[in-house]
Amino acid sequence: MKKIPFIVAMVVSGLSIGCASHTKTESELPDLTQYVDPYIGTGDHGHVFLGANVPFGLVQLGPTQYTRGWDWCSGYHYSDSVLIGFSHTHLSGTGIGELGDISLFPVTDERQREAHFRHEQERVRPGYYAVVLDDTNIKAELTATARTGFHRYTYPTDIDTTKIIINLKQGIGWDALKACTMTQENDTTVSGYRCSTGWAKRQQIFFHAVFSSPIRKAQMENDSIGIFSFCTGGQPLLVKVGLSPIGTENAKLNLQAENPGWDFEETAEKARLLWNKELNKIQVTTPDEKAKKIFYTALYHTMFAPSVFSDVNGDYRGADGQAHTDANGTNYTTFSLWDTYRAAHPLATLIHPERQKDFAQTMLNIFDQQGKLPVWYLMENETDCMVGNPGIPVLADIVLKGFEVDKEAAFRAMKASAMLDERSLGLLKEYGYIPYDKEPTNETTAKGLEYALADGCIAKVAETLGHVEDYNYFRNRSLSYRKYFDKSTCFMRGLSSDGRFSTPFDPFYTAPGKGDYTEGNAWQYAWLVPHDVHGLIDLFGCEERFVSKLDSLFTVEGDLGAEAAPDVSGLIGQYAHGNEPSHHVIYLYNYVGQPWKAAERLRQVMGTLYHDAPAGLCGNEDVGQMSAWYVLSAMGLYQVEPAGGKYIIGSPLFGVTKIEVGGGKTFEVVARNNSAKNIYIQSAKLNGAPYTKSYISFKDLKQGGRLELEMGDKPSGFGTGEEDKP
């Protein structure tokens, strides 16, 4: 730890007041930020980040509490009333606590390390957070740009000396400090870095902090906590902090580029406008203000990640731990792919087409640096969290939808990632499935099903590129899901190396790290074949048997066991909406020509498992996935197949949904006579022509146009014809 050199000389900062200019179009957009309630998901098991950030920004600046258990993974839980700092990095909705880098805390007594607060003293909106600390009556206000945090601390008027603590030791959850430095560069500037380990084994971040008043005194505590004193003359103390994954000079560069002035209000308003611009990519018309609030908060939550992980000059730190530069694009991190390949990324391909090239290139860069596509990528680390090859569906979807990407390079990355021997892939290649008696970490059925759907995505890309041999190989491997299917029970089950199903068998039982499934049970994993739904139906022998089993999923009751993970939540029968493997299941009704049953269950989930309250989510947010499911489903569209762009038509919540799909084009979903009772589609038109299919292609959506749906209170023949099924 480098000690702080005390600098006596006064240095003129030379910082100028920034002037923002916004286009007339931005200022004329409807204010949709008014419908965002950032508290939704901060209670119960939502684990949602609360604080100030901008869409997809690296800096997520917000209050941090003691880690008191699993529900403090984001650093903040609504049930708590004690704050210990305002940290610049957080995760949203994860099941593991991490980050919490570069914590600042305003105090009146240098011995203070915590403060009580009340929610009625908080103010939060997109891009802005404020709270009054009860113990000191200090008002803390936060806002952010993509790579910088901006603090404004207003102290009681009777305080002569104000103090700020910079705490580099403090982290969230698993995060533990390994090394740090803190250097006072002049009378207004402190810089340094923090290196920690936890979920991300090698995580380092550099900072450059500038104060609006000269530092009068500085002292260190335990080599990782700096205490800085100021005389502000009754004026608020402002602090600007630039972050960088590369170095303090880059952190300074980011600060100069993104926030050169000292106008806190202007910076907060700029953040709000950025959020409002993104929220306006989907405009809904409905008299239901509660549904609008849930919808726009969900849309807001889908844009916390992937997050920017490169500096304004293109520098970034790669998966190899080395510095790299991509001057032509933006590098990203926080890829929670096991969760987000299902809805968050398909939603992004619709409303964020401008980011797909950089998402894809980031994934290819990660492949080049670590030899495989990302699994669960955090900062510059592969955590290998969760099962399967979830990066493959995301990259394949980008390729198959025609976004700008080196398709051959993408295919090579997918193929190489699927042909490794790690994480049970060697067993898959040897046996054609993953035998439970050869894999000591269990969960082999879940692993095998996830690999099969990823292989199906590779096969699609190979077919598109004309790689016949590769297509045949991966298409065959994608059918390995059939081996786990037990026709006597119609469940997917663990299979031994000599072909025996695992026993004893309890379709309700689930426990982390035990049994055949990952965060679920046999009831939930019976349906995880989204890449070949009709092939799955064939395994049941007939559609009637498939439908009977699917119907039962929502009504059967059973004991999950004492060891069941809290992730298996939001239960309707054994359908578990609180975790991702169930998210596509309701839409399977369309594949058997019964979309009215999907409508009933979709309205049930949207109406009972999403709320406008802190406990508004029935499970972890999982970095946008829970919210993305709601956004897509409320629009009436959902992508079941992992890659390729076939969106299943459900039961839209709103009378009109206008989706900005890029290139100045808009696609509208109009649901006439829509209501809480009129949930069933009676008939449809696409661009004025009769439309009978219960799905729509990505190509049709991206061209812009209008899907008109006549709604009614009784099931109809819409989507029931053999040629109208997905």
Side-chain angles (χ1 to χ4, degrees):
M1 172 71 198
K2 187 180 291 186
K3 298 295 184 181
I4 299 177
F6 295 95
I7 298 175
V8 179
M10 296 294 289
V11 179
V12 179
S13 68
L15 295 173
S16 60
I17 301 298
C19 291
S21 81
H22 305 292
T23 66
K24 187 176 181 181
T25 302
E26 287 178 334
S27 64
E28 290 180 345
L29 289 173
D31 180 18
L32 299 181
T33 63
Q34 65 180 304
Y35 299 110
V36 174
D37 180 358
Y39 283 119
I40 294 175
T42 60
D44 198 34
H45 300 317
H47 299 183
V48 168
F49 162 70
L50 183 81
N53 62 335
V54 296
F56 305 100
L58 165 66
V59 169
Q60 297 183 12
L61 175 58
T64 303
Q65 302 166 338
Y66 293 114
T67 298
R68 303 184 191 276
W70 187 60
D71 284 327
W72 277 258
C73 287
S74 74
Y76 179 100
H77 195 265
Y78 191 81
S79 65
D80 209 336
S81 61
V82 177
L83 299 181
I84 58 174
F86 301 102
S87 302
H88 286 78
T89 60
H90 292 77
L91 294 174
S92 187
T94 57
I96 298 174
E98 180 62 289
L99 304 185
D101 297 296
I102 322 300
S103 175
L104 272 62
F105 198 47
V107 297
T108 55
D109 185 328
E110 62 192 42
R111 295 168 297 180
Q112 186 182 8
R113 293 295 180 269
E114 64 178 43
H116 292 81
F117 76 103
R118 291 165 289 139
H119 293 304
E120 52 265 35
Q121 293 294 322
E122 286 182 301
R123 297 292 181 270
V124 59
R125 63 177 184 265
Y128 174 82
Y129 173 87
V131 65
V132 176
L133 304 175
D134 284 346
D135 305 71
T136 57
N137 204 31
I138 297 171
K139 183 178 182 180
E141 297 175 275
L142 312 173
T143 189
T145 69
R147 300 170 179 87
T148 78
F150 201 175
H151 310 239
R152 181 166 67 185
Y153 298 117
T154 303
Y155 294 77
T157 55
D158 59 348
I159 299 296
D160 294 326
T161 302
T162 58
K163 301 178 188 295
I164 289 283
I165 296 173
I166 299 181
N167 191 331
L168 302 185
K169 182 179 181 180
Q170 178 182 305
I172 296 171
W174 291 9
D175 181 276
L177 180 68
K178 290 180 65 178
C180 63
T181 64
M182 197 185 307
T183 303
Q184 183 183 334
E185 296 187 358
N186 55 48
D187 68 332
T188 59
T189 305
V190 175
S191 64
Y193 87 98
R194 180 176 190 269
C195 180
S196 62
T197 187
W199 190 11
K201 298 302 181 187
R202 180 192 65 245
Q203 201 259 116
Q204 52 190 328
I205 201 77
F206 296 81
F207 73 96
H208 180 88
V210 183
F211 298 92
S212 61
S213 295
I215 299 168
R216 298 303 184 187
K217 180 183 177 183
Q219 61 192 90
M220 291 301 300
E221 179 182 294
N222 298 328
D223 293 337
S224 58
I225 298 173
I227 305 167
F228 302 90
S229 301
F230 307 84
C231 294
T232 58
Q235 297 299 309
L237 178 64
L238 281 72
V239 193
K240 300 187 300 181
V241 181
L243 296 191
S244 166
I246 295 298
T248 56
E249 285 302 311
N250 274 27
K252 179 179 180 180
L253 181 66
N254 290 338
L255 189 59
Q256 291 172 335
E258 293 188 354
N259 193 12
W262 287 95
D263 192 331
F264 182 91
E265 298 294 344
E266 181 65 26
T267 305
E269 175 62 7
K270 191 174 181 180
R272 188 194 70 80
L273 288 172
L274 286 172
W275 277 113
N276 197 49
K277 181 180 180 182
E278 295 296 326
L279 293 171
N280 267 277
K281 288 182 174 179
I282 307 176
Q283 295 183 0
V284 302
T285 302
T286 177
D288 188 342
E289 293 294 295
K290 178 180 176 181
K292 191 181 292 187
K293 184 177 178 181
I294 296 171
F295 179 84
Y296 281 110
T297 304
L299 183 57
Y300 164 75
H301 282 151
T302 67
M303 292 183 274
F304 289 2
S307 51
V308 168
F309 198 62
S310 58
D311 297 324
V312 292
N313 63 357
D315 291 350
Y316 70 94
R317 194 170 299 280
D320 54 4
Q322 303 301 308
H324 299 267
T325 300
D326 184 353
N328 298 316
T330 300
N331 188 72
Y332 287 88
T333 191
T334 317
F335 286 93
S336 179
L337 296 165
W338 184 83
D339 308 293
T340 57
Y341 82 77
R342 305 166 200 265
H345 278 282
L347 172 64
T349 61
L350 278 176
I351 63 173
H352 305 302
E354 73 283 356
R355 296 184 187 270
Q356 300 309 308
K357 177 183 177 182
D358 287 344
F359 286 173
Q361 189 57 54
T362 296
M363 296 178 76
L364 292 179
N365 291 341
I366 293 169
F367 169 75
D368 289 340
Q369 293 151 12
Q370 69 177 20
K372 65 181 179 184
L373 288 170
V375 179
W376 209 123
Y377 191 75
L378 177 58
M379 306 307 272
E380 69 265 30
N381 291 256
E382 179 56 72
T383 70
D384 277 328
C385 190
M386 308 312 292
V387 299
N389 262 328
I392 288 174
V394 174
L395 187 56
D397 200 35
I398 292 173
V399 170
L400 294 169
K401 288 176 177 174
F403 290 103
E404 184 178 351
V405 59
D406 185 334
K407 294 179 174 58
E408 289 292 347
F411 174 72
R412 289 193 296 272
M414 287 184 258
K415 179 179 177 179
S417 300
M419 294 303 291
L420 296 171
D421 289 329
E422 63 172 36
R423 298 181 303 118
S424 305
L425 282 166
L427 292 171
L428 175 60
K429 290 188 292 183
E430 180 180 355
Y431 288 89
Y433 61 97
I434 305 173
Y436 69 81
D437 56 331
K438 298 292 184 178
E439 172 52 87
T441 58
N442 296 316
E443 302 183 356
T444 55
T445 304
K447 294 174 184 177
L449 295 176
E450 291 283 356
Y451 283 135
L453 68 86
D455 288 340
C457 296
I458 302 175
K460 280 188 175 182
V461 175
E463 183 179 32
T464 299
L465 298 178
H467 299 315
V468 177
E469 185 176 346
D470 288 317
Y471 166 76
N472 290 330
Y473 174 79
F474 285 105
R475 170 60 180 164
N476 181 65
R477 230 173 69 167
S478 76
L479 301 178
S480 62
Y481 71 85
R482 297 174 177 175
K483 298 181 185 296
Y484 305 99
F485 189 78
D486 175 10
K487 290 190 176 183
S488 67
T489 63
C490 291
F491 285 114
M492 299 288 180
R493 297 179 58 182
L495 195 63
S496 71
S497 55
D498 59 359
R500 293 176 290 105
F501 286 118
S502 60
T503 55
F505 176 63
D506 179 354
F508 297 99
Y509 174 79
T510 175
K514 298 180 180 180
D516 300 328
Y517 314 102
T518 300
E519 295 182 2
N521 63 22
W523 274 102
Q524 290 132 29
Y525 272 89
W527 322 98
L528 192 60
V529 190
H531 64 294
D532 188 24
V533 177
H534 290 292
L536 175 63
I537 295 169
D538 289 342
L539 288 181
F540 280 80
C542 63
E543 285 190 355
E544 289 74 15
R545 196 177 184 197
F546 178 87
V547 171
S548 177
K549 188 82 168 185
L550 188 55
D551 289 343
S552 297
L553 172 70
F554 298 95
T555 59
V556 68
E557 300 292 341
D559 186 1
L560 300 179
E563 298 178 279
D567 306 76
V568 187
S569 58
L571 290 170
I572 300 174
Q574 286 299 295
Y575 172 83
H577 192 74
N579 211 19
E580 282 64 35
S582 290
H583 277 188
H584 69 291
V585 173
I586 293 175
Y587 290 94
L588 298 182
Y589 279 116
N590 287 47
Y591 286 78
V592 290
Q594 298 186 11
W596 70 87
K597 287 187 178 178
E600 294 166 358
R601 293 302 181 185
L602 290 170
R603 291 296 185 106
Q604 180 183 10
V605 171
M606 288 187 279
T608 65
L609 297 180
Y610 290 85
H611 306 284
D612 60 339
L617 296 174
C618 65
N620 294 358
E621 166 65 8
D622 281 317
V623 199
Q625 171 61 26
M626 281 288 291
S627 289
W629 185 96
Y630 185 90
V631 170
L632 284 169
S633 295
M635 295 194 308
L637 305 168
Y638 193 86
Q639 181 172 304
V640 168
E641 297 165 38
K646 188 185 292 180
Y647 288 77
I648 310 306
I649 300 172
S651 180
L653 278 186
F654 309 116
V656 179
T657 302
K658 295 182 179 180
I659 311 164
E660 187 180 300
V661 294
K665 297 178 180 179
T666 299
F667 190 89
E668 290 186 345
V669 179
V670 179
R672 294 190 175 89
N673 301 315
N674 198 15
S675 70
K677 290 184 178 180
N678 294 345
I679 67 174
Y680 305 103
I681 299 171
Q682 305 298 299
S683 63
K685 290 182 180 179
L686 179 60
N687 300 325
Y691 192 77
T692 58
K693 299 183 185 302
S694 67
Y695 65 94
I696 187 169
S697 72
F698 176 80
K699 181 180 178 181
D700 284 335
L701 294 171
K702 293 301 290 184
Q703 287 176 346
R706 175 180 291 183
L707 177 65
E708 300 172 81
L709 305 173
E710 293 292 337
M711 308 298 290
D713 62 358
K714 294 180 176 61
S716 74
F718 172 78
T720 60
E722 195 63 34
E723 69 282 0
D724 298 324
K725 301 174 184 177

